[in-house]
Amino acid sequence: MAEHQYDVVVVGGGLAGLSAAAYLAHSGKKVAVVERGALGGRAVTLTIKGFHFNFGAHAIYGRDSSVLTRLERELGLKIDWQDFSPTKAKYDLGQELTDMPANIQGLFRTKVLKGVEKVKFTFEILKTMLKVEAGHPHLSIGKWLEKKHVSEEVKDMMLTLACSNFFTSEPEKIPSDVFFSYYRRLFTTSKPVSYIGGGWQALIDEFSRVIEQNNGTIMRKTKVEGVTVIDERVTSIETPEGSISGSEFIFCIPPKELVKVFQGTKVEHAVQQYAQYEPTYVLVYDVGLKNRIEVPYTYINDKASHIFLTDISYYDKTCVPENGQLLQAIAYLTQEDLKNKEKVEAYKQKIEALYDKHFPGWREELVVPRISQRAIVQEIKWLMNQHPMPVYFSDYRNLFFAGDWCEGQGQLSELSFSSAVNACELVLQKSE
């Protein structure tokens, strides 16, 4: 490949990279996206026997205030939103199901909290929304709740919510400032969870469309092996096919990959600590069924086992053949769980037992199962000793970063979108 010159080179074609490239191309920049594999990164839709499996639910949290909604409006993205129904979300308490307090109606109907505890929980929500409570960066939410003498029932409810929103079985370890920042936004939303019709692939296709319609270049199966740095500026990236030069660079690849690409530079040392961080792992067990099993709920959260089930096809009817059903189970894993094959196998059996309990007859309807034993849903797990990476370091003024391990708004994919937009705005400010 001959050397190419671009205004901005985006390395990594996951959600962060694609949204950054689309945003900049739409703003008039000459942009190239360089991706070593298939577009989407971890946000992949895999088709097996007519079922479209997403690597992780294609859920967007708080979409009315989401950065993706802003991108949809400003870039003209066509997104088929399918909003989650809170009334169909239940907690499994063992002997009975009860409503999730996802809205006021659910709060009054739930049996997780009783009487005065519902009032106390509502008060905690109000304080969070009004920024009366903001937590502290040096206190985990578990320690913060102890310090504030929050009742055991309300404490349990807050941590249970955090399990499902942060995809962790150790919610008490989340930094309290991260916890309150997240819930301040989520408690004020009118659309707490939404799915994308067509799954991640539909969104990937839309970002690609915007990039290419605005004369951007997408380079698939192009591996970045290193960078060229002159006078503390990145001047080009090096690939097996040749150099790709640019004025600005946005790297949207995980810290572990950044360390390799920036070997021998100051960036390698700056990124090193983030490369050691523990990701958020889950076990995903999806099942595609040839016929629907009709039940009065679409989401079940088993409080005892930290496992939740979702009827994805209820919201995204494009992911199944006619009359089919796609169910997804997610179990939150710790680092210790990953090292223990027996524990992982036990989680699989628990999931199958929950499918038996809540979707009876699924085994007879099974067409295809798909299991990911250690799926990464986020490159950073929220612990007191793990902090998001900045979107830039002062050593290199034309180098920026984005991804779900970077500073931004929200969690999971929202961090990818928001950090990408933050990086793009810094790039655009330089050319004003």
Side-chain angles (χ1 to χ4, degrees):
M1 157 192 320
E3 184 167 326
H4 295 281
Q5 175 70 40
Y6 295 92
D7 294 331
V8 187
V9 177
V10 178
V11 178
L15 293 180
L18 290 173
S19 52
Y23 190 91
L24 291 168
H26 188 267
S27 300
K29 294 294 183 182
K30 184 181 179 183
V31 177
V33 184
V34 183
E35 167 55 49
R36 69 179 181 180
L39 296 179
R42 296 194 313 275
V44 174
T45 303
L46 182 66
T47 301
I48 307 173
K49 296 184 178 180
F51 293 87
H52 304 303
F53 295 94
N54 286 281
F55 278 66
H58 47 296
I60 305 298
Y61 294 87
R63 84 160 168 102
D64 47 355
S65 59
S66 167
V67 173
L68 180 56
T69 298
R70 174 187 164 184
L71 292 173
E72 176 191 25
R73 181 178 64 252
E74 294 182 4
L75 306 185
L77 299 173
K78 298 179 180 67
I79 300 178
D80 178 21
W81 291 111
Q82 301 294 325
D83 294 327
F84 182 76
S85 176
T87 60
K88 290 183 175 292
K90 308 293 180 183
Y91 276 131
D92 184 349
L93 302 182
Q95 300 302 315
E96 61 178 336
L97 299 182
T98 188
D99 289 72
M100 285 185 67
N103 54 21
I104 295 299
Q105 182 183 8
L107 179 61
F108 280 112
R109 292 170 58 175
T110 188
K111 295 179 182 177
V112 177
L113 294 168
K114 294 182 172 59
V116 70
E117 299 303 325
K118 292 183 181 181
V119 177
K120 291 179 181 177
F121 180 65
T122 304
F123 186 51
E124 293 300 331
I125 292 176
L126 182 62
K127 287 192 293 183
T128 302
M129 291 167 60
L130 296 176
K131 298 184 181 181
V132 174
E133 300 294 1
H136 194 283
H138 299 304
L139 275 180
S140 68
I141 187 61
K143 294 292 185 184
W144 185 92
L145 291 168
E146 287 178 16
K147 184 178 179 182
K148 295 290 183 175
H149 304 294
V150 174
S151 72
E152 284 301 314
E153 291 82 359
V154 173
K155 175 182 174 182
D156 179 65
M157 187 70 259
M158 292 174 76
L159 294 180
T160 298
L161 283 176
C163 277
S164 52
N165 290 127
F166 286 81
F167 282 62
T168 178
S169 59
E170 302 170 295
E172 68 282 353
K173 296 182 180 181
I174 298 169
S176 56
D177 59 329
V178 172
F179 179 97
F180 283 109
S181 174
Y182 179 75
Y183 281 108
R184 187 173 305 118
R185 175 172 158 263
L186 204 61
F187 285 153
T188 57
T189 184
S190 60
K191 300 183 186 301
V193 183
S194 300
Y195 297 94
I196 298 171
W200 286 129
Q201 190 59 52
L203 184 59
I204 291 164
D205 291 344
E206 275 299 284
F207 279 132
S208 299
R209 177 185 64 80
V210 171
I211 293 166
E212 292 175 334
Q213 284 184 356
N214 288 278
N215 302 312
T217 301
I218 300 175
M219 302 180 189
R220 298 169 177 84
K221 297 185 179 179
T222 303
K223 184 179 180 181
V224 177
E225 297 179 328
V227 295
T228 297
V229 178
I230 300 175
D231 296 330
E232 296 191 339
R233 286 182 64 84
V234 177
T235 59
S236 66
I237 56 173
E238 310 306 322
T239 76
E241 293 79 21
S243 297
I244 303 171
S245 302
S247 300
E248 310 286 339
F249 293 81
I250 303 178
F251 276 77
C252 304
I253 57 177
K256 290 179 178 64
E257 299 301 320
L258 286 169
V259 168
K260 299 174 188 175
V261 172
F262 283 91
Q263 190 171 3
T265 70
K266 292 180 181 178
V267 174
E268 178 191 3
H269 302 292
V271 173
Q272 195 71 247
Q273 74 175 92
Y274 304 101
Q276 307 303 317
Y277 281 1
E278 177 184 332
T280 301
Y281 288 103
V282 297
L283 186 153
V284 183
Y285 191 155
D286 295 344
V287 292
L289 312 181
K290 59 177 178 274
N291 290 301
R292 284 194 60 82
I293 297 169
E294 296 296 345
V295 291
Y297 39 76
T298 61
Y299 175 94
I300 297 287
N301 190 314
D302 185 72
K303 283 182 88 271
S305 62
H306 297 303
I307 295 172
F308 69 85
L309 314 179
T310 309
D311 181 356
I312 300 293
S313 53
Y314 180 89
Y315 298 100
D316 181 10
K317 294 176 174 57
T318 69
C319 71
V320 292
E322 188 176 357
N323 299 322
Q325 188 171 28
L326 180 58
L327 305 177
Q328 181 171 81
I330 292 182
Y332 314 125
L333 303 179
T334 64
Q335 287 288 82
E336 289 68 34
D337 291 335
L338 293 170
K339 300 170 188 174
N340 190 325
K341 290 183 179 179
E342 291 180 358
K343 275 195 173 183
V344 172
E345 189 59 38
Y347 271 117
K348 290 184 196 174
Q349 292 175 11
K350 285 180 183 178
I351 287 171
E352 291 180 355
L354 286 172
Y355 277 145
D356 287 336
K357 181 177 182 180
H358 299 295
F359 294 91
W362 72 276
R363 295 174 189 268
E364 290 72 31
E365 302 294 346
L366 182 63
V367 177
V368 55
R370 186 188 70 86
I371 301 174
S372 296
Q373 294 192 175
R374 46 181 301 141
I376 296 176
V377 292
Q378 191 163 334
E379 282 288 342
I380 182 174
K381 184 172 184 176
W382 292 103
L383 303 170
M384 290 303 297
N385 62 338
Q386 299 195 164
H387 309 283
M389 195 173 89
V391 295
Y392 72 93
F393 295 114
S394 58
D395 286 329
Y396 295 100
R397 292 296 184 172
N398 72 330
L399 175 61
F400 304 90
F401 306 95
D404 65 9
W405 55 90
C406 292
E407 292 176 349
Q409 168 186 299
Q411 293 297 315
L412 307 169
S413 62
E414 181 70 5
L415 262 181
S416 292
F417 302 129
S418 60
S419 60
V421 168
N422 290 345
C424 290
E425 289 177 339
L426 290 170
V427 169
L428 293 173
Q429 286 169 14
K430 294 174 71 173
S431 57
E432 289 179 353

